[in-house]
Amino acid sequence: MTYQDDAVVIDNDVFEIIKEAFDKEVETNDSKYRKNLFNQIKDYFVKTDDGSYSIKSRPINNKVETLHTKSGAISESFKKFIDPLKLDYSRDIAILDICAGLGYNTSAAVFDFMQHTDNTTSLKVDMVEISPETLACGMIVPSPIAEHDIVKKAIEDELVRSNFASLHLESFEIPDNIDISVFIEDARQTVQRLNDNTYDAIFLDPFSQTMAPELFTCDLFKEFKRVINDNGIVATYTSSAPVRGGFIEAGFHVGEGPVFGRFQGGTIASPNPETLGKSLNIHDERRIALSDVGIPFRDINLNGSSDEINQVRTEERHEKRHVSKISSAVKTPIFLGEDIDDAPLKRRVERNLAKVNIPGVKSDEAYYIIEPQKDYSEDSTLKNNSRDRILNMSKRLDDVINGRFKDN
């Protein structure tokens, strides 16, 4: 939910209040500083439509947002991160929760596990969140479901261990068949220490790609590919083209996740296409495959700053636009093979196409490039899926740009 310096996303005032309260708890071992804390900072939170709380962002472009959809914070966890998984609870399950934030995604996972287990199997969740203040927020907000109390206990144990807090006030016991570990650090560093083929699911829930591109890079996704098992699923709320392009470059198959509180579904990624229920939108496939908007974020050494990563991508987009990729202006690739009634729009589209050796929207070259989508279906199958179509269209664009089209 949050990453790097949370002051970038969340009003600094609330974190200062939280830090001061917990400093006093550590200094005095008096529980009063924590017990009254939520009422002191309640104005920094928003009660979403399902009754669960989300924390406000600082004003961004004069607009205050929340870290979850206002349709329901805990509901979003179930819809975006639990429902697509369809986990087999007849065996032990392991989940990696990146940007654990208030702990809602892990709470939803615990709920789902407890609804389906026969107590012969176990659930392991590794929660990663760089900000102890954000975790503290998750510990003091009212629990939207009972299972959040289990997560609060795990958060408290780690905050005490790391000397951010000093008192064990959470009375709820963690069941013996549930193991929750909390890592308060840069998720990029955590992932590099994890074992291969460990996780059945990865939740990726940073605030946004603009604020935290370091958690949306193809280089981090390669680490995800290493630590996830062959049938595992990565779930994230974003439908961003560079994020989906990054998953594909890292070796994942991609599909569209459920729609909840937004106009478009999130993204589901897996090494196995058979685990995906729905292909990407036909226009999204074209934009990722053919235009510079699909160029992913890069962080080769997994230690770059947000500004550095954004700058690298900006430069790569500039270098490849009109050279190896179609310009993303006016969403040019989506018009291949289509009639355009708007004359000014058609001129702009065809100017962009001409720069990469495509004579027009209905030219032979245009139809050659989009031919992999001829039998497009939103229902993914092993033979016909978004990853294969995207890679095939990208290769065909390269054929056209480099004069190999006539040889085919």
Side-chain angles (χ1 to χ4, degrees):
M1 294 177 187
T2 59
Y3 186 68
Q4 56 163 10
D5 180 1
D6 287 279
V8 172
V9 175
I10 300 172
D11 192 326
N12 236 357
D13 291 346
V14 66
F15 279 173
E16 290 176 359
I17 296 169
I18 290 170
K19 184 65 168 64
E20 181 180 357
F22 277 89
D23 283 347
K24 288 181 177 179
E25 176 183 312
V26 171
E27 180 183 348
T28 65
N29 279 329
D30 192 329
S31 63
K32 69 180 182 182
Y33 297 105
R34 193 196 309 180
K35 287 184 174 179
N36 298 322
L37 187 52
F38 182 71
N39 287 333
Q40 294 177 40
I41 63 174
K42 192 173 181 179
D43 289 344
Y44 294 95
F45 291 79
V46 172
K47 195 172 188 178
T48 63
D49 290 349
D50 63 8
S52 58
Y53 284 88
S54 182
I55 192 168
K56 296 178 182 178
S57 73
R58 68 166 177 79
I60 301 172
N61 296 325
N62 296 318
K63 182 181 179 182
V64 175
E65 299 181 357
T66 61
L67 301 192
H68 309 83
T69 174
K70 292 182 180 179
S71 299
I74 191 66
S75 297
E76 183 176 26
S77 293
F78 281 102
K79 294 294 184 181
K80 294 284 184 73
F81 295 96
I82 302 301
D83 289 357
L85 301 183
K86 299 179 176 60
L87 292 171
D88 176 11
Y89 292 110
S90 66
R91 59 182 182 82
D92 295 342
I93 296 296
I95 295 172
L96 178 62
D97 185 0
I98 299 288
C99 295
L102 304 184
Y104 289 166
N105 294 338
T106 292
S107 300
V110 171
F111 175 93
D112 199 53
F113 172 73
M114 294 181 72
Q115 292 297 305
H116 295 93
T117 186
D118 60 2
N119 292 320
T120 63
T121 59
S122 64
L123 172 68
K124 176 177 174 57
V125 183
D126 290 332
M127 300 172 61
V128 187
E129 170 60 57
I130 199 168
S131 165
E133 292 86 358
T134 303
L135 290 170
C137 286
M139 193 168 62
I140 65 175
V141 295
S143 291
I145 55 175
E147 289 72 18
H148 192 230
D149 291 327
I150 295 174
V151 177
K152 284 183 175 182
K153 178 61 176 173
I155 291 172
E156 182 184 66
D157 287 346
E158 179 57 27
L159 291 179
V160 171
R161 191 200 67 78
S162 62
N163 204 38
F164 186 89
S166 63
L167 299 175
H168 290 279
L169 303 180
E170 298 294 332
S171 59
F172 205 97
E173 292 297 325
I174 301 175
D176 291 339
N177 60 341
I178 296 176
D179 177 15
I180 302 175
S181 298
V182 180
F183 299 86
I184 307 176
E185 61 182 2
D186 185 327
R188 294 174 294 178
Q189 306 314 311
T190 307
V191 171
Q192 292 180 77
R193 300 196 305 270
L194 300 175
N195 294 328
D196 295 359
N197 303 316
T198 299
Y199 297 98
D200 300 284
I202 298 174
F203 302 152
L204 179 61
D205 202 11
F207 183 70
S208 75
Q209 66 176 43
T210 303
M211 296 294 181
E214 53 269 56
L215 289 183
F216 288 112
T217 68
C218 61
D219 304 284
L220 183 61
F221 296 164
K222 289 174 183 177
E223 287 294 305
F224 287 0
K225 182 70 159 44
R226 179 182 64 80
V227 303
I228 203 167
N229 66 43
D230 290 343
N231 294 311
I233 289 177
V234 183
T236 185
Y237 63 86
T238 182
S239 58
S240 162
V243 173
R244 289 171 167 177
F247 276 121
I248 290 169
E249 186 169 318
F252 283 95
H253 293 266
V254 291
E256 187 166 334
V259 177
F260 180 77
R262 302 173 192 266
F263 293 110
Q264 192 169 2
T267 300
I268 304 297
S270 177
N272 181 2
E274 293 183 336
T275 65
L276 306 177
K278 186 178 181 181
S279 294
L280 300 183
N281 178 282
I282 191 169
H283 289 164
D284 290 342
E285 289 184 356
R286 292 187 187 181
R287 294 176 69 224
I288 294 166
L290 306 175
S291 83
D292 61 279
V293 76
I295 291 171
F297 297 100
R298 304 189 188 282
D299 183 21
I300 295 174
N301 296 317
L302 293 177
N303 62 4
S305 70
S306 299
D307 288 343
E308 290 170 341
I309 292 166
N310 280 322
Q311 182 61 30
V312 167
R313 180 170 180 265
T314 297
E315 292 174 357
E316 185 175 355
R317 291 184 70 182
H318 179 74
E319 291 169 0
K320 292 185 175 180
R321 189 179 299 132
H322 305 313
V323 177
S324 60
K325 293 291 183 182
I326 301 170
S327 170
S328 58
V330 297
K331 300 181 179 180
T332 296
I334 73 172
F335 296 104
L336 293 175
E338 304 291 333
D339 292 316
I340 306 177
D341 295 329
D342 185 322
L345 174 61
K346 184 175 182 179
R347 284 195 296 271
R348 289 188 66 187
V349 168
E350 297 206 325
R351 276 200 302 267
N352 287 333
L353 295 178
K355 293 176 180 178
V356 286
N357 294 340
I358 304 172
V361 291
K362 290 201 165 186
S363 64
D364 290 343
E365 289 86 346
Y367 283 113
Y368 169 73
I369 291 169
I370 62 174
E371 195 274 337
Q373 290 185 316
K374 181 179 179 180
D375 299 319
Y376 173 84
S377 170
E378 288 188 347
D379 295 325
S380 297
T381 67
L382 186 61
K383 183 178 180 180
N384 184 25
N385 61 77
S386 288
R387 174 185 169 81
D388 286 355
R389 289 191 290 268
I390 288 168
L391 292 177
N392 199 344
M393 285 191 290
S394 181
K395 179 183 179 300
R396 286 166 178 252
L397 174 63
D398 187 66
D399 288 343
V400 170
I401 291 174
N402 291 289
R404 293 190 294 272
F405 167 66
K406 292 180 180 179
D407 297 331
N408 288 275

